[in-house]
Amino acid sequence: MGSKYTKRYSEEYKRDAIELVRSSGRTVTEVARELGISSESLRGWVKKARPAQDAGSGPAGQSPADRDEELKRLRKLTAEQAKTIEILKKATAFFVKESDR
């Protein structure tokens, strides 16, 4: 059973506090102190909100289609860079042979 001194915070207040932690770059303790709430309460809210954030979307709120597109783009870039590296290796070998003459 809760204490008669336990404060109740609205869901909107909790969401705002969680967003402040995520966007400010400050620690949970610093934000809690600024808001005048328990750092353990805020830490619990942040932890509880994390699984809900991870469930439907990926990093930075990306949809699965966005992630697939990003993965496709990065694979293409990786392949291009691998080709460039191979060409540079061959060029290096060619110029080393030329300088030995």
Side-chain angles (χ1 to χ4, degrees):
M1 215 161 111
S3 166
K4 64 180 181 179
Y5 298 108
T6 301
K7 290 184 182 178
R8 299 284 179 183
Y9 299 97
S10 70
E11 290 303 313
E12 181 182 12
Y13 184 84
K14 291 178 183 181
R15 279 192 306 270
D16 290 346
I18 292 165
E19 185 57 34
L20 186 59
V21 170
R22 291 179 178 162
S23 65
S24 69
R26 294 178 292 171
T27 66
V28 170
T29 303
E30 290 170 335
V31 173
R33 189 175 300 131
E34 179 184 315
L35 297 175
I37 60 176
S38 161
S39 60
E40 289 306 311
S41 293
L42 182 54
R43 190 170 286 109
W45 300 345
V46 170
K47 187 176 180 180
K48 191 174 180 180
R50 194 166 290 135
Q53 176 191 21
D54 295 341
S57 60
Q62 288 182 331
S63 71
D66 290 340
R67 286 193 309 253
D68 291 346
E69 190 64 34
E70 178 73 1
L71 182 58
K72 183 179 176 181
R73 185 187 70 79
L74 292 173
R75 284 182 175 161
K76 181 179 179 182
L77 179 62
T78 302
E80 290 172 1
Q81 289 175 341
K83 287 179 186 177
T84 301
I85 290 169
E86 195 60 38
I87 291 169
L88 291 173
K89 283 181 181 178
K90 290 177 181 178
T92 302
F94 174 76
F95 287 116
V96 168
K97 289 178 186 176
E98 286 293 313
S99 66
D100 289 342
R101 290 185 189 180

